[in-house]
Amino acid sequence: MEQANLIPLSQITQGQTVKLVKINAGRGLRMRLASMGILPDVTITVVNNRHPGPFMISVKGTKVMLGRGMADKVLVQ
Amino acid sequence: MKKITVAIAGNPNSGKTSIFNMVTGTRQQVGNYPGVTVEKKEGLYTYKDYKIRFVDLPGTYSLSPYSTEELVARRFIIENRPDVVVDVVDCSNIERNLYLATQLMEMNVPMVLAFNMSDIAKRNGLQFDIASLAELLEVEIVPTVGNRAEGKNKLLDAIVKTAQKGRVTREHRVHFGPEIETELASIEELVTGLEPGLGQKYGSRWLALKLLEQDSEIIDKVHSKELKEAALKSVKHIRGVFKDEPEMLIADRRYGYISGACQETIKTTVEARHSKSDMIDAIVTNPFLGLPIFLLLMYIVFQLTFTIGGYPMGWLAGLFAWSANAITSLWPADTAQWLRSLLVDGIIGGVGGVMVFLPNILLLFLAIAVLEDTGYMARAAFIMDRIMHKIGLHGKSFIPMLIGFGCTVPAIMATRILENKRNRFTTILVLPLMSCGAKLTIYTLIIPVFFSPTWRGPMLWLIYLIGIGLAVVCIRILRVSLFKGETTPFVMELPPYRMPTLKAISLHTWHRGWIYLKKAGTVILLISILLWVGMNYPKPKAESLKGLNSHQVRQKEISNSVVGRIGKFIEPAIKPLGFDWRIGTALIGATAAKEVFVSQMAIVYAAQDSGESHQSLSEKLRANYSPLVGFCVCLFCLIYAPCVVTVVMAKSEMNSWFWAGFQFFGLTVLAYVITLIVYQAGSLFAGY
């Protein structure tokens, strides 16, 4: 099952690169993320993951900061 | 001479502003889009036979209906039908930036792509086949370097050429796949049949697409029930087939289209991706160094604003004092003394009192512009987010709050760095609780009168702390009541560090200064005159002033004036706080500017206001009030209604008299309740 090995982005350690699979959020939020290039199938590199602060990722060559709550909703592989 | 209108669109951080500055020069007009506090900049430029009006649209990642900025940008393009839309693209980050371009293409507007920061892209090893890409996207593409004004004439040529061509139907367009295309086609057909007017205005394919995306703004415009139901049916069908929202699928296809176009036309020659930006980030967002570096920078900003700014502020104050003296001494002794008083006390005192802060405002916004344009501001938000998030605000809110300790007015102006309305309003509403410099003058008068030297420091510290504590409580209350909602869908781009250009920074600073000056010259002038009238009229009868010295005359005048009478009138109401009518009068006068409290108290006690110390006033205060009352005065001044300049600025930044009034009265009520509790409890314990 593909669903089984999905992990929230917030648990990925600094420096790792993962593939985004699914975003568990409302339409508005998902579209906002999509407009910034964050949508299923893109590759994400975690640049900074300081517990419990916000979260910094690199996607399509841009650095983006995500709130921790949001990083919980982003499921990756 | 032909006139054309050009809208400039683009992602945040794409260098859109630098392109706007490049094509318009320094002659720019700043205002707001109607009904919202989204800044609108316009500029005129004459090129060849064309008078070109440039309108800077807010920076957006897309044209969906989910944020005010996006709605504003979209509405402008639809309603005002600009002749050309220039989409500024950061071509070192091309795929994401072209997402907005695909949406503009769907709207079928005549478009020019400015491939900005082409120098950085080249350095990063990107090679563009611009001719093929332009052919594929059916637009003119011009490489530019906005902050070095490279590509200006080529861009203007492309704009003129595109304007001449007008609207043309595209041959290529994003293909959303057979399933979606079939649904699109059937909705499109219904649009043409049922809503021909809307179809004409928006383009039937675009309208059909928006209906599939369930775009709330567009759905509200459709009257035909049949069309709405058909669209909903299509949405459900697609949802059933793909197990996802059509909107997401459409977004996905747009990226697919972009990556297809890019694959054929862009080559990457270098793979090295570790840039200077990463190195700087490793230091300034370091868990241990990040916060100290941020606090140090904020300290420098504060020092720059209020210490260095103090010198030109002193010169300006001197200039106003000098002109006030000059008018007073040159004024013929027996003619129209009221006019002299109006000029000197009302206008120069009021407007001058506001104008002297101009150097601080300029310096502050200079510093903010540098922090923003270098890209550090986003990091500051990143660092402060953890703490501010706990309170219920965005990390960026910290900056206006800090500025609030200097002056609330620029702090309110600085809330423009917050994109989210809820965050912004909450921040503005609590900003007066950060004790500003003018309130400090009140504390420095009162505290030494009633407290021994060892207690003065802690007292002052306590007052500031109470302000911060109350602000935190108010934020929490506001965030669960009036401004409920997620703390912001928290996604923010951290742009690469860039060297700011002098032109961009000085323009930004000047715009802010200009807003401030305009306010001083209009609303604040009017309010100053009103307050002057209130404090001077009606005059007491001439015979009652016989035999009094000038201080006593002034005392008599103010107690007889409207403000004095109100002070007496409200005395029963403020008695439970330990205040008498004199304090009441001074408190009302202090809504003009907080430091007025001190001079008002001096006047009502007919005390020597001038001179280096308030010696006689201090003695009178000590004789008349207890330390508890002194503390309550400080407390009340900390919390109650902000000064009129703040009210005016809050109104214009929130675009609502209601919220400005809410702040004014809300804080006054809060001040009353808290002071009442403190005074009554204090009296009980101390037996005063």
Side-chain angles (χ1 to χ4, degrees):
Chain A
M1 284 291 285
E2 200 191 19
Q3 292 288 92
N5 44 22
L6 293 187
I7 356 169
L9 180 65
S10 53
Q11 287 175 17
I12 305 297
T13 48
Q14 208 158 302
Q16 271 192 291
T17 301
V18 287
K19 194 175 113 183
L20 200 160
V21 181
K22 200 176 163 198
I23 302 170
N24 282 329
R27 276 171 58 205
L29 189 50
R30 281 202 294 160
M31 286 313 287
R32 177 155 165 89
L33 289 171
S35 69
M36 295 177 81
I38 304 169
L39 67 173
D41 288 339
V42 297
T43 345
I44 294 178
T45 306
V46 176
V47 180
N48 197 329
N49 183 357
R50 303 183 298 166
H51 268 288
F55 202 81
M56 205 193 281
I57 58 171
S58 168
V59 59
K60 291 189 200 244
T62 333
K63 274 186 204 160
V64 178
M65 164 184 172
L66 287 181
R68 183 150 296 273
M70 197 169 300
D72 287 331
K73 294 175 186 162
V74 176
L75 298 180
V76 297
Q77 217 171 15
Chain B
M1 200 64 106
K2 244 190 107 182
K3 281 186 189 168
I4 50 177
T5 302
V6 177
I8 299 185
N11 282 188
N13 310 309
S14 62
K16 202 167 63 69
T17 310
S18 72
I19 294 291
F20 179 73
N21 289 343
M22 174 178 97
V23 288
T24 56
T26 46
R27 284 184 309 154
Q28 302 178 357
Q29 273 188 314
V30 193
N32 279 342
Y33 283 94
V36 287
T37 39
V38 174
E39 195 168 81
K40 181 186 190 185
K41 281 191 281 187
E42 286 191 43
L44 278 176
Y45 191 80
T46 312
Y47 183 70
K48 292 183 178 165
D49 277 338
Y50 290 86
K51 204 170 191 165
I52 311 176
R53 173 177 158 242
F54 287 98
V55 178
D56 195 20
L57 299 178
T60 58
Y61 295 106
S62 77
L63 293 175
S64 67
Y66 297 114
S67 79
T68 324
E69 281 76 15
E70 293 178 16
L71 276 175
V72 163
R74 191 165 88 175
R75 274 187 207 141
F76 186 87
I77 293 169
I78 295 173
E79 308 296 335
N80 298 54
R81 290 182 86 87
D83 299 281
V84 178
V85 175
V86 174
D87 180 13
V88 181
V89 167
D90 169 6
C91 62
S92 61
N93 184 4
I94 192 96
E95 287 194 30
R96 196 204 64 207
N97 272 260
L98 281 180
Y99 185 74
L100 178 67
T102 59
Q103 291 188 315
L104 289 166
M105 282 159 61
E106 285 159 13
M107 296 173 88
N108 206 24
V109 289
M111 180 166 66
V112 174
L113 288 180
F115 266 30
N116 202 25
M117 308 197 210
S118 46
D119 53 337
I120 297 171
K122 203 179 274 175
R123 220 179 304 143
N124 289 353
L126 290 174
Q127 281 179 346
F128 299 96
D129 180 354
I130 290 208
S132 323
L133 195 57
E135 203 177 309
L136 211 62
L137 302 178
E138 293 172 65
V139 289
E140 296 278 334
I141 298 179
V142 184
T144 55
V145 184
N147 49 22
R148 279 195 264 126
E150 279 173 29
K152 180 178 173 180
N153 284 342
K154 279 192 183 134
L155 181 63
L156 288 166
D157 281 331
I159 289 170
V160 167
K161 196 172 152 197
T162 310
Q164 281 167 344
K165 244 198 275 172
R167 281 182 197 240
V168 281
T169 319
R170 301 179 168 277
E171 282 174 38
H172 305 277
R173 54 191 183 191
V174 182
H175 190 77
F176 297 109
E179 205 74 38
I180 295 176
E181 287 292 341
T182 318
E183 299 300 325
L184 262 182
S186 72
I187 300 175
E188 204 180 327
E189 207 170 291
L190 284 175
V191 168
T192 338
L194 296 167
E195 295 275 6
L198 286 179
Q200 191 73 29
K201 186 176 176 188
Y202 298 113
S204 50
R205 182 177 161 93
W206 190 76
L207 196 72
L209 190 64
K210 292 299 124 180
L211 289 175
L212 261 194
E213 287 182 320
Q214 295 163 278
D215 186 310
S216 49
E217 205 199 29
I218 302 300
I219 291 176
D220 288 344
K221 294 218 157 83
V222 174
H223 297 296
S224 157
K225 229 178 168 176
E226 196 186 336
L227 178 57
K228 279 191 202 177
E229 274 163 14
L232 205 60
K233 219 177 110 202
S234 296
V235 169
K236 280 187 187 144
H237 174 71
I238 293 170
R239 227 185 254 155
V241 174
F242 294 98
K243 307 270 176 283
D244 205 351
E245 292 295 323
E247 202 178 16
M248 284 305 290
L249 297 163
I250 289 167
D252 197 52
R253 294 288 146 79
R254 286 187 189 123
Y255 277 111
Y257 176 81
I258 294 167
S259 92
C262 289
Q263 223 152 40
E264 292 171 36
T265 53
I266 301 174
K267 273 200 212 95
T268 320
T269 51
V270 198
E271 259 311 316
R273 269 302 193 164
H274 267 288
S275 59
K276 261 188 230 152
S277 272
D278 293 331
M279 270 150 61
I280 300 174
D281 264 344
I283 299 166
V284 303
T285 62
N286 179 290
F288 303 106
L289 295 174
L291 196 60
I293 291 174
F294 171 68
L295 292 177
L296 178 72
L297 282 172
M298 285 299 114
Y299 181 76
I300 293 170
V301 169
F302 223 64
Q303 281 293 318
L304 182 77
T305 312
F306 294 102
T307 312
I308 300 180
Y311 297 106
M313 187 177 161
W315 304 332
L316 273 179
L319 183 73
F320 286 120
W322 176 83
S323 44
N325 279 333
I327 292 175
T328 310
S329 60
L330 292 176
W331 201 271
D334 292 319
T335 43
Q337 281 302 315
W338 67 270
L339 184 62
R340 180 198 57 82
S341 171
L342 172 65
L343 275 176
V344 173
D345 304 325
I347 296 174
I348 296 182
V351 175
V354 172
M355 296 272 262
V356 292
F357 287 107
L358 186 65
N360 302 60
I361 304 264
L362 290 177
L363 277 169
L364 188 66
F365 282 103
L366 182 79
I368 290 182
V370 171
L371 289 181
E372 261 197 296
D373 287 7
T374 49
Y376 183 76
M377 197 63 103
R379 274 74 180 180
F382 179 79
I383 292 160
M384 285 311 294
D385 189 63
R386 208 168 115 193
I387 299 165
M388 297 304 286
H389 214 78
K390 284 207 181 107
I391 306 171
L393 284 181
H394 191 288
K396 278 192 200 170
S397 294
F398 187 77
I399 289 154
M401 297 215 157
L402 193 76
I403 296 166
F405 286 112
C407 179
T408 316
V409 176
I412 289 178
M413 292 163 84
T415 59
R416 288 204 174 192
I417 56 174
L418 301 168
E419 296 103 25
N420 180 285
K421 186 181 157 186
R422 286 193 296 266
N423 268 325
R424 215 173 149 222
F425 277 35
T426 312
T427 310
I428 291 177
L429 289 177
V430 302
L431 270 176
L433 291 169
M434 309 285 126
S435 279
C436 70
K439 285 179 186 171
L440 184 61
T441 61
I442 304 176
Y443 310 149
T444 49
L445 167 74
I446 303 282
I447 291 176
V449 170
F450 298 106
F451 299 97
S452 66
T454 39
W455 281 101
R456 286 172 195 170
M459 269 321 207
L460 190 62
W461 181 78
L462 183 67
I463 294 280
Y464 272 78
L465 224 59
I466 291 173
I468 298 167
L470 276 175
V472 171
V473 172
C474 289
I475 291 166
R476 300 214 102 162
I477 293 173
L478 286 169
R479 293 295 278 122
V480 295
S481 55
L482 293 165
F483 298 108
K484 227 190 310 202
E486 238 181 300
T487 315
T488 359
F490 205 28
V491 247
M492 184 180 63
E493 188 184 349
L494 297 160
Y497 290 98
R498 287 177 193 130
M499 204 56 186
T501 64
L502 194 63
K503 188 177 169 188
I505 285 174
S506 45
L507 270 172
H508 185 92
T509 308
W510 170 242
H511 286 155
R512 287 287 173 276
W514 180 239
I515 293 173
Y516 189 75
L517 274 181
K518 262 206 297 214
K519 286 275 167 328
T522 53
V523 193
I524 291 163
L525 175 66
L526 190 77
I527 292 172
S528 302
I529 293 173
L530 280 177
L531 265 165
W532 172 83
V533 172
M535 288 197 281
N536 284 277
Y537 291 91
K539 291 276 184 208
K541 289 204 174 68
E543 53 260 37
S544 68
L545 299 178
K546 266 192 195 117
L548 302 176
N549 70 25
S550 64
H551 297 308
Q552 288 163 327
V553 169
R554 195 67 199 104
Q555 178 191 27
K556 199 98 187 170
E557 278 177 349
I558 199 152
S559 79
N560 196 57
S561 71
V562 173
V563 170
R565 282 164 203 234
I566 296 176
K568 281 178 193 152
F569 178 73
I570 60 167
E571 194 174 37
I574 56 175
K575 201 125 214 170
L577 311 181
F579 301 169
D580 59 8
W581 74 270
R582 295 183 178 89
I583 295 176
T585 306
L587 286 173
I588 295 167
T591 49
K594 296 289 167 167
E595 67 271 22
V596 170
F597 182 85
V598 176
S599 54
Q600 290 267 299
M601 284 305 275
I603 293 169
V604 290
Y605 274 107
Q608 198 77 39
D609 176 31
S610 55
E612 55 280 11
S613 71
H614 300 294
Q615 198 52 49
S616 57
L617 177 59
S618 298
E619 276 160 22
K620 289 207 161 116
L621 291 177
R622 199 172 296 131
N624 280 288
Y625 306 111
S626 66
L628 180 63
V629 175
F631 180 74
C632 285
V633 168
C634 290
L635 197 60
F636 195 85
C637 286
L638 162 72
I639 311 167
Y640 91 115
C643 69
V644 286
V645 192
T646 302
V647 176
V648 168
M649 202 47 91
K651 186 262 155 188
S652 81
E653 289 299 303
M654 295 192 283
N655 199 20
S656 146
W657 277 114
F658 171 79
W659 287 114
F662 176 80
Q663 178 182 45
F664 189 90
F665 293 109
L667 285 172
T668 309
V669 170
L670 184 68
Y672 188 88
V673 171
I674 288 179
T675 314
L676 182 72
I677 293 169
V678 170
Y679 182 73
Q680 292 301 332
S683 313
L684 217 64
F685 282 116
Y688 284 115

